[in-house]
Amino acid sequence: MAVPASFEEKDFLSCCGSTTFAKHMVTASPFSSLEHAISVARDVWFNTVDVNGWLQAFSAHPQIGQQHAPSHASQTSAQWSKGEQSTALATATGSSLQELSEWNVRYWEKFGFVFLICASGRSTDEILAELKRRYTNRPIVEFEIAAEEQMKITELRLAKLFSSKESIPSTTDK
Amino acid sequence: MAVPASFEEKDFLSCCGSTTFAKHMVTASPFSSLEHAISVARDVWFNTVDVNGWLQAFSAHPQIGQQHAPSHASQTSAQWSKGEQSTALATATGSSLQELSEWNVRYWEKFGFVFLICASGRSTDEILAELKRRYTNRPIVEFEIAAEEQMKITELRLAKLFSSKESIPSTTDK
């Protein structure tokens, strides 16, 4: 039988860029299953990480449609962002990318953080429509929606993290 | 007839330490009445100031029971804080102040911003009970409550601002 996969702070930081989140996940490790890890992650994110930690996590994301992740984002995080946006990039035209970029700037100016959406499987047009719809929200309402989106992204990334470790055979395996 | 009192950015900053708030209030000036100013202030605070602006405003407050305002708070703001806490300070014993100070630290550690309460007319014991009750909240819930308290403080301070200007006769007065 394999021992539970063990992860470090940097692994959890790749899933969610809040250091409080990553530290609490390490403390709660090891997890008996992905479901267990997700359940703890939700509790930490919504009940323990403070609003500064939410902003810190948001700041680790590139703008949707942008090629470059923030310099403080981990390599794994940057790579995952790219993968999550692959549908959007495949369906993007030059003009829709241009419009998305302009709306990202407007969004940032209004809310003070990057537009966050769980982009997996969404086209550029879908993302743009959602950005325009959410732009009308009050700042505090949008802040909570962004936190929900971050949690969806975190769950997908935790799944990737767990599946990446599953293939490594445990040294105590017989 | 007196002309509407005119205020500068620093006047509004003394009411609420968000620069976005103060700039918008200047742009919306002059106000026909205190009620008009409060109505605009509520709209700006809840619909325009972003979450970073909320945190900026919170950071301009001293801890309840603390003598010193943050170094970046204006002199007027520091003086008003003192006045607003006069009931609390008059009813405080050494041990209740000590307990308040300890709970303020715990609150800060959990939420990442100072405990904010419209302290006018409240005793130290009332404030301490409220702090302990609110400490159990989720960070995002507490963030919104703090913003509501900030708005109450802002309203009281706008009233002080308006009454301080009323006594100055307008140069166009006959």
Side-chain angles (χ1 to χ4, degrees):
Chain A
M1 205 186 81
V3 293
S6 88
F7 303 109
E8 297 169 39
E9 198 173 307
K10 70 172 173 49
D11 295 320
F12 293 118
L13 269 182
S14 299
C15 301
C16 171
S18 148
T19 42
T20 304
F21 172 84
K23 282 181 200 302
H24 274 79
M25 290 298 283
V26 168
T27 306
S29 293
F31 300 106
S32 54
S33 63
L34 171 61
E35 290 63 38
H36 179 206
I38 288 178
S39 153
V40 172
R42 292 191 64 85
D43 180 48
V44 170
W45 179 246
F46 289 115
N47 300 322
T48 303
V49 175
D50 70 14
V51 293
N52 299 298
W54 280 12
L55 288 169
Q56 185 190 20
F58 297 171
S59 76
H61 291 275
Q63 284 196 357
I64 286 276
Q66 209 184 38
Q67 299 298 330
H68 302 291
S71 55
H72 57 280
S74 74
Q75 251 194 330
T76 311
S77 166
Q79 199 135 26
W80 283 349
S81 284
K82 236 176 175 172
E84 286 152 8
Q85 296 185 38
S86 58
T87 305
L89 292 174
T91 58
T93 59
S95 68
S96 65
L97 272 186
Q98 177 61 29
E99 200 182 352
L100 191 58
S101 163
E102 284 162 10
W103 274 91
N104 266 314
V105 172
R106 295 179 65 170
Y107 182 96
W108 179 283
E109 283 171 358
K110 175 167 181 183
F111 297 109
F113 50 81
V114 74
F115 174 67
L116 261 196
I117 188 166
C118 187
S120 281
R122 296 210 211 205
S123 73
T124 298
D125 283 349
E126 283 173 336
I127 291 172
L128 187 56
E130 190 65 6
L131 201 174
K132 289 179 183 174
R133 197 187 60 74
R134 280 170 48 184
Y135 181 79
T136 60
N137 283 332
R138 291 200 300 129
I140 185 66
V141 171
E142 191 53 29
F143 191 48
E144 284 205 70
I145 293 174
E148 295 280 355
E149 292 298 313
Q150 170 65 62
M151 191 62 228
K152 289 183 205 165
I153 295 167
T154 304
E155 290 186 25
L156 289 179
R157 291 184 177 186
L158 282 171
K160 283 177 192 161
L161 194 64
F162 271 70
S163 66
S164 75
K165 294 270 170 157
E166 262 168 13
S167 52
I168 304 163
S170 155
T171 50
T172 61
D173 243 14
K174 277 277 160 227
Chain B
M1 207 185 81
V3 292
S6 88
F7 302 108
E8 297 168 41
E9 197 172 310
K10 70 172 173 49
D11 296 319
F12 294 118
L13 269 181
S14 298
C15 300
C16 170
S18 149
T19 43
T20 303
F21 173 83
K23 282 183 202 301
H24 274 79
M25 290 298 281
V26 168
T27 306
S29 294
F31 300 106
S32 54
S33 64
L34 171 61
E35 289 64 36
H36 179 206
I38 287 177
S39 153
V40 172
R42 291 191 66 84
D43 180 47
V44 170
W45 178 246
F46 289 115
N47 300 322
T48 303
V49 175
D50 70 15
V51 293
N52 299 298
W54 279 14
L55 288 168
Q56 185 190 20
F58 297 171
S59 77
H61 291 274
Q63 284 196 357
I64 288 277
Q66 209 184 37
Q67 298 297 331
H68 302 291
S71 54
H72 58 280
S74 74
Q75 252 196 328
T76 311
S77 167
Q79 199 134 26
W80 284 349
S81 283
K82 236 178 174 172
E84 287 153 5
Q85 296 186 39
S86 60
T87 305
L89 292 174
T91 58
T93 60
S95 66
S96 64
L97 272 187
Q98 176 63 28
E99 199 180 353
L100 191 56
S101 162
E102 285 162 10
W103 274 92
N104 266 313
V105 172
R106 295 180 65 170
Y107 182 96
W108 180 282
E109 284 170 356
K110 174 167 181 184
F111 297 110
F113 51 82
V114 72
F115 174 67
L116 261 196
I117 187 167
C118 188
S120 281
R122 297 207 211 206
S123 73
T124 297
D125 282 350
E126 283 172 335
I127 291 171
L128 187 56
E130 191 65 6
L131 201 173
K132 289 179 183 174
R133 197 186 59 74
R134 281 171 46 185
Y135 180 80
T136 59
N137 284 332
R138 290 199 301 131
I140 185 64
V141 170
E142 191 53 27
F143 191 48
E144 284 205 69
I145 292 174
E148 295 279 355
E149 292 299 312
Q150 169 65 64
M151 190 63 229
K152 289 184 205 164
I153 296 168
T154 304
E155 290 187 25
L156 289 179
R157 291 184 177 185
L158 282 171
K160 282 176 193 161
L161 194 63
F162 272 69
S163 66
S164 75
K165 294 271 171 157
E166 263 168 14
S167 53
I168 303 164
S170 155
T171 50
T172 62
D173 243 15
K174 277 277 161 227

